[in-house]
């Protein structure tokens, strides 16, 4: 959503690809960015991707499509692998066929993920760090990442990957821990909820603002040469710190009595520490994050306070 608004602000004609006839995301797109022209397609159906390309006639293609909830990927490893991994191959091949002899006429962005680092082999993680994914989602992202590199090197395609660390916003799905916390904190502050169940409170992540990160995506495709970039804040924070800031923001200091650890929310193979080194993005793209971790947490809590107040008629 933030990417569509950014591109629209720069004068782009923006098309969005939506899967399925009654996809609930369609109404969200229409409300958030009504200027976006919506096309129907499926990352698992290459012919639909070709039709979408012919309809949009794009100069740039941003592939943010994936089954992106890591916990879900263990329950549906095959579907995750097909959409998140094979889907990248399908769109790359569709672009190659669409572009014909001038394969560089369409610039491609692939949303790679810090989850590819998994069992981290280097701290902080950078573009050259060995990938060791610890979830079906991470494995699928590695496939898509290397396939993007392969098409760049094999066909001369202008194909770049952004290895994005956790990028959060008030638009994050409620199943993700950051939004799960911000919703619960808002509801607890309003007396609408008492408890919040979470998994590993000591897991550390490099959390940034999605609105900042889409600027980096766009900048990648403005470069003369395609490449891969880590996009991160360079800071790591445990879930406990997120809870501290979120609850304190609504005047609750003793949050421990509201939060419970539930074994069902622990991953079969945990990723304990992620922290990125975005020096290459800073030097080559001139990019750096603008919203602090503290500001991000408060922004999400404030947004959910407004939403929950509206729901409760307050």
């Amino acid at each position: 959503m933030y990417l569509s608004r950014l591109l629209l602000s720069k004068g782009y004609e923006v098309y969005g690809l939506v899967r399925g006839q009654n996809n609930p995301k369609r109404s969200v797109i229409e409300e958030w960015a009504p200027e976006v022209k919506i096309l129907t397609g499926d990352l698992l159906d290459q012919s639909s991707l070709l039709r979408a390309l012919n309809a949009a006639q794009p100069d740039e293609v941003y592939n943010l499509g994936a089954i992106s909830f890591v916990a879900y990927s263990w329950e549906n490893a095959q579907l995750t692998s097909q959409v998140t991994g094979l889907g990248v191959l399908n769109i790359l091949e569709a672009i190659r066929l669409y572009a014909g002899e001038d394969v560089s006429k369409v610039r491609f962005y692939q949303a790679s993920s810090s989850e590819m680092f998994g069992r981290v082999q280097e701290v902080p993680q950078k573009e050259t760090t060995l990938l060791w994914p610890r979830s079906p989602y991470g494995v699928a992202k590695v496939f898509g990442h290397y396939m993007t590199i392969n098409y760049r090197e094999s066909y001369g395609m202008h194909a770049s990957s952004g290895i994005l660390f956790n990028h959060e916003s008030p638009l994050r799905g409620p199943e993700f821990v950051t939004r799960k916390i911000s919703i619960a904190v808002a509801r607890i502050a309003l007396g609408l909820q008492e408890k919040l169940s979470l998994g590993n409170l000591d897991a550390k992540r490099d959390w940034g603002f999605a609105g900042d990160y889409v600027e980096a995506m766009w900048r990648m495709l403005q470069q003369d040469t395609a490449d891969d970039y880590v996009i991160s804040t360079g800071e790591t924070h445990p879930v406990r710190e997120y809870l501290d800031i979120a609850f304190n923001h609504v005047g609750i200091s003793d949050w421990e009595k509201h939060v419970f650890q539930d074994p069902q929310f622990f991953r079969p193979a945990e990723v304990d520490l992620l922290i990125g080194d975005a020096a290459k993005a800073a030097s080559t793209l001139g990019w750096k994050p603008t919203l602090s971790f503290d500001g991000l947490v408060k922004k999400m809590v404030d947004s959910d306070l407004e939403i929950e107040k509206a729901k409760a008629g307050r």
Side-chain angles (χ1 to χ4, degrees):
M1 300 301 181
Y2 285 100
L3 178 61
S4 64
R5 281 196 171 178
L6 173 70
L7 296 175
L8 288 165
S9 73
K10 294 182 180 295
Y12 280 60
E13 184 177 10
V14 180
Y15 289 81
L17 188 73
V18 173
R19 178 180 178 271
Q21 191 173 11
N22 297 307
N23 194 314
K25 292 290 186 182
R26 188 183 189 106
S27 60
V28 176
I29 296 170
E30 290 171 342
E31 179 180 353
W32 180 259
E35 304 95 329
V36 173
K37 299 174 176 65
I38 298 176
L39 301 173
T40 300
D42 190 327
L43 286 173
L44 299 184
D45 179 3
Q46 193 175 92
S47 63
S48 74
L49 299 177
L50 276 167
R51 287 194 297 272
L53 290 167
N54 281 308
Q57 301 283 304
D59 300 301
E60 299 173 1
V61 172
Y62 295 83
N63 179 37
L64 279 59
I67 293 178
S68 57
F69 187 43
V70 176
Y72 179 86
S73 73
W74 274 284
E75 299 174 17
N76 294 272
Q78 185 176 40
L79 183 60
T80 298
S81 300
Q82 289 172 338
V83 175
T84 308
L86 189 60
V88 182
L89 171 59
N90 287 339
I91 187 63
L92 284 165
E93 182 64 7
I95 291 171
R96 187 182 73 84
L97 295 172
Y98 164 77
E101 294 183 2
D102 186 13
V103 73
S104 64
K105 76 176 185 178
V106 179
R107 298 189 172 194
F108 176 75
Y109 170 82
Q110 166 59 18
S112 290
S113 169
S114 61
E115 289 287 333
M116 301 189 305
F117 294 119
R119 187 176 177 180
V120 297
Q121 302 300 296
E122 182 179 24
V123 178
Q125 294 88 55
K126 51 192 176 185
E127 293 81 6
T128 56
T129 301
L130 176 69
L131 305 179
W132 196 317
R134 298 265 283 172
S135 67
Y137 169 78
V139 172
K141 279 292 185 181
V142 170
F143 176 89
H145 179 73
Y146 278 120
M147 194 58 71
T148 301
I149 294 172
N150 186 262
Y151 267 67
R152 180 171 72 222
E153 295 180 348
S154 298
Y155 301 113
M157 184 181 289
H158 194 294
S160 296
S161 287
I163 307 173
L164 269 59
F165 281 65
N166 293 61
H167 40 294
E168 313 297 326
S169 81
L171 297 178
R172 193 58 134 160
E175 70 273 19
F176 290 87
V177 67
T178 50
R179 186 77 194 290
K180 184 177 181 180
I181 293 172
S182 65
I183 292 172
V185 168
R187 290 180 58 80
I188 290 169
L190 295 170
L192 302 172
Q193 182 174 326
E194 285 293 325
K195 299 178 181 179
L196 167 62
S197 296
L198 297 172
N200 182 8
L201 303 186
D202 297 311
K204 296 179 179 180
R205 293 292 184 271
D206 186 327
W207 277 303
F209 175 47
D212 286 338
Y213 285 29
V214 298
E215 173 74 23
M217 298 177 192
W218 176 77
R219 292 191 183 199
M220 289 178 210
L221 297 200
Q222 311 318 304
Q223 303 303 303
D224 292 334
T225 303
D227 207 344
D228 306 318
Y229 298 89
V230 163
I231 305 299
S232 65
T233 69
E235 300 177 4
T236 189
H237 303 271
V239 175
R240 290 182 187 276
E241 186 178 352
Y242 192 105
L243 288 163
D244 280 336
I245 296 171
F247 275 103
N248 273 291
H249 188 52
V250 296
I252 299 173
S253 57
D254 55 341
W255 56 261
E256 288 87 352
K257 67 181 182 182
H258 296 287
V259 178
F260 298 86
Q261 289 186 287
D262 189 331
Q264 72 170 309
F265 296 121
F266 281 79
R267 296 183 180 187
E270 182 60 87
V271 175
D272 295 311
L273 172 62
L274 290 174
I275 178 170
D277 178 358
K280 181 177 175 182
S283 61
T284 304
L285 305 178
W287 178 87
K288 62 179 181 180
T290 64
L291 186 62
S292 68
F293 176 67
D294 184 86
L296 172 63
V297 177
K298 292 175 180 177
K299 183 182 184 72
M300 294 184 68
V301 172
D302 286 341
S303 174
D304 279 314
L305 275 170
E306 292 303 311
I307 291 172
E308 294 301 327
K309 285 178 182 177
K311 286 181 181 178
R314 298 185 183 181

